[in-house]
Amino acid sequence: MSAASDYLENKVLDHFLGTASTSAPATVYLALFTTDPTDAGSGTEVSTSGTNYARQSIAFSSAASGTTSNSADVEFSQATGSGFGTVTHFGIFDASTAGNLLFHGSLTDSKTIAAGDVFKVASGNLSITVA
């Protein structure tokens, strides 16, 4: 299950109701979270300090029936230090650092990423649905 962030909901409303225009980001990035980012983007993203974690670019197929999925594998670098922790949620951002949360959701199963582990999302396994 995925949800749009408050930021994105406001941008869509403004754009399609003619009060302000917006454009799509050139690249979007997959972020991993250890707590729910919520519509407000307030969750805990995996730390970049000593873990080798960084958001990864992600591409999506054209939407059909209100759903789209990642069009290629997304692989994070091998975790170092104490690892990434237990990843429970994901977020899609408009920047590789900071930026704006666009979509978020929970993983089907949480996953503990220890030092030496690599987190990978196979093509077609991350879906975004707007209902």
Side-chain angles (χ1 to χ4, degrees), residues 57-61 69-75 120-126:
S57 62
I58 185 169
F60 289 91
S61 302
S69 297
N70 60 311
S71 58
D73 292 352
V74 179
E75 188 171 296
K120 178 180 176 180
V121 179
S123 178
N125 281 358
L126 192 149

Side-chain angles (χ1 to χ4, degrees), residues 42-113:
S42 60
T44 304
E45 187 172 355
V46 170
S47 174
T48 58
S49 179
T51 62
N52 204 30
Y53 167 80
R55 294 177 187 169
Q56 300 297 305
S57 62
I58 185 169
F60 289 91
S61 302
S62 295
S65 301
T67 300
T68 184
S69 297
N70 60 311
S71 58
D73 292 352
V74 179
E75 188 171 296
F76 287 79
S77 298
Q78 186 178 51
T80 61
S82 59
F84 295 174
T86 301
V87 176
T88 59
H89 292 78
F90 70 90
I92 305 296
F93 281 81
D94 62 2
S96 60
T97 60
N100 300 294
L101 177 66
L102 304 175
F103 296 98
H104 64 94
S106 60
L107 301 181
T108 303
D109 296 305
S110 59
K111 177 72 176 157
T112 300
I113 310 298

Side-chain angles (χ1 to χ4, degrees), residues 21-43:
S21 64
T22 191
S23 57
T27 305
V28 292
Y29 297 87
L30 176 61
L32 303 177
F33 284 80
T34 58
T35 64
D36 185 355
T38 75
D39 286 357
S42 60

